Amino acid sequence: MAQTENFKDWLFRYQYLYGIRRSDKSKKRFIGALVADLAAMGAAPQVIEYDQQKKSASRNVYVGDLKRAKKVICTYYDTPPISIGDYVFFDRKRQSRQTVLAILMGSLALLSLGGLGLAWLMSNSWFSLDFTRPLTYVSMAALLVFFLLLGRVTKGLANRRNLVRNTGSVLLLLSMIEANRNPFVAYAFIDEGTFGERGLEVLQSSLPKGTPVYFLEAVAAKAPLYIKDRETTLFSKEAVAAKTKDQVRYIFSGEPGTEGFTLSKKLLRSKEMNMENIEQLITALS
C-alpha cells in the first residue's frame, strides 16, 4: 500500500501526539482528532457514550450505518498499560497478572529510590525544617513530585510504544474508510478493549443479530496474520469468506507456541508497521 500524505500525517499524530489514550482526558483528545479526520474524509462519525461515571465515561466511535451493514470492522483504541513478559492473546487472567507484576515492580523500585533519597537527605547536617530557608521548600516540592509519580505508577503507566499493539489497527481502519465508501461496511473504534470486551459488547448491542464483526488486534506486527472464531487458522480472503456461527471473528498477528499465540516484547516495541499485513487486510476485508 502506497503511503498517502494523509497516512503519513496520521502515523505521526496518532503515534506521538495522541499515542497515549488511557485517561479520560487523553481519550477525549484522541477522539477529537479522530472525529476531525473522519469528517475531513466526508464520513459522518457517531460518538456513543456509555458507562458514565461522575468524572469520566467510555466512548465508542462508529462510522457507517450499523443497521444496514453486512459486516463491521473494529478495533480498540485505549492504550494498554506496561506489563511484564510477552503478550499472550486471549488470556485475560495472564495479561492482568503481568500488568499487576509490572505495577508492583515499578512501585517497589520507586519506593526504594525514595527511601534512599530520604535517608541521604536526613543524614546531611545541613538539612532541617527551617521555613526561612529556600532549601526546605525545594525538599517539600521534591516530596510532592515523588508522591504524584508514585500515584501514577500504582495505577499502571501507559505503554508509549503502542504502534504495534493497537495504533496500527487504528491507522488501518482510517485507511480503509478513506479508500472504501461501501454503504454495507461499517467501522468501529471501541473503548475498554485492553482488558475486557465491554466496548465490543456495547457495539454488538447496536447491531442486528448475526451481523459479522471482525475485531482487529496487533495486526501491524511483523508476524503472520491469523483469524480466530471457534478455531484459529492462517488469515486469507477465503478464511474471511468462510461461513461460521460466531458473530465475532478475531484477526491478529502472532507467533504460535505452547502457551497459545503470543507477541514477543521485541515485536511489541517495534517502531515500524508491517505494511504487508496491512495490504493483505485491506484486500481481504474491503
Side-chain angles (χ1 to χ4, degrees):
M1 179 185 77
Q3 294 190 18
T4 64
E5 289 303 315
N6 274 345
F7 186 88
K8 294 176 182 177
D9 177 53
W10 298 332
L11 179 60
F12 174 78
R13 290 192 293 115
Y14 291 112
Q15 188 176 4
Y16 299 109
L17 299 182
Y18 308 110
I20 300 300
R21 305 176 289 271
R22 187 155 172 77
S23 67
D24 189 67
K25 182 178 179 180
S26 61
K27 288 179 182 180
K28 282 182 178 179
R29 290 179 65 245
F30 163 77
I31 289 175
L34 179 67
V35 167
D37 286 332
L38 291 169
M41 288 188 278
Q46 293 180 291
V47 180
I48 308 299
E49 286 197 354
Y50 57 96
D51 292 350
Q52 288 90 350
Q53 299 178 19
K54 188 175 181 180
K55 294 184 178 181
S56 65
S58 299
R59 301 170 186 86
N60 287 356
V61 181
Y62 303 147
V63 178
D65 189 338
L66 297 183
K67 300 301 182 184
R68 295 177 59 198
K70 293 184 178 179
K71 64 180 174 184
V72 178
I73 305 168
C74 72
T75 191
Y76 64 91
Y77 64 80
D78 51 307
T79 303
I82 293 174
S83 61
I84 300 297
D86 297 341
Y87 178 64
V88 181
F89 289 93
F90 313 115
D91 191 340
R92 297 292 189 186
K93 291 183 178 179
R94 177 163 179 171
Q95 293 167 18
S96 181
R97 289 196 302 269
Q98 290 174 316
T99 301
V100 170
L101 182 59
I103 291 172
L104 287 174
M105 292 178 65
S107 299
L108 288 173
L110 190 58
L111 285 170
S112 298
L113 287 174
L116 289 173
L118 183 61
W120 174 81
L121 196 63
M122 297 294 290
S123 67
N124 284 276
S125 58
W126 48 260
F127 174 76
S128 64
L129 288 176
D130 184 352
F131 290 98
T132 64
R133 301 175 60 192
L135 188 59
T136 298
Y137 295 96
V138 172
S139 301
M140 291 174 65
L143 191 62
L144 177 61
V145 170
F146 170 78
F147 281 108
L148 288 174
L149 183 58
L150 182 62
R152 293 186 62 183
V153 170
T154 55
K155 292 178 182 178
L157 295 175
N159 191 343
R160 293 181 176 275
R161 300 183 72 169
N162 189 32
L163 179 62
V164 163
R165 177 76 182 269
N166 68 347
T167 297
S169 301
V170 169
L171 298 177
L172 170 60
L173 260 64
L174 282 168
S175 298
M176 295 182 71
I177 294 166
E178 182 183 42
N180 183 21
R181 287 293 183 267
N182 188 335
F184 299 108
V185 179
Y187 304 88
F189 303 83
I190 63 178
D191 202 352
E192 304 299 329
T194 300
F195 279 124
E197 298 190 344
R198 178 59 183 146
L200 180 59
E201 291 169 357
V202 172
L203 169 63
Q204 288 180 270
S205 69
S206 301
L207 296 174
K209 186 177 180 180
T211 303
V213 176
Y214 297 93
F215 187 102
L216 310 180
E217 180 176 16
V219 295
K222 293 183 178 180
L225 283 170
Y226 292 88
I227 184 167
K228 177 185 181 300
D229 38 50
R230 297 186 182 184
E231 297 182 353
T232 302
T233 60
L234 280 169
F235 180 83
S236 66
K237 194 168 186 177
E238 292 72 26
V240 171
K243 292 186 179 297
T244 177
K245 293 182 179 179
D246 295 324
Q247 182 182 18
V248 180
R249 307 184 73 189
Y250 298 87
I251 299 173
F252 63 97
S253 53
E255 304 163 302
T258 56
E259 297 179 330
F261 287 88
T262 65
L263 274 180
S264 68
K265 278 292 186 183
K266 181 179 179 181
L267 289 178
L268 283 171
R269 292 172 179 167
S270 176
K271 294 182 179 180
E272 296 182 357
M273 294 176 59
N274 185 341
M275 299 309 295
E276 292 182 3
N277 280 4
I278 300 301
E279 180 65 38
Q280 187 180 359
L281 286 160
I282 291 175
T283 301
L285 294 175
S286 297

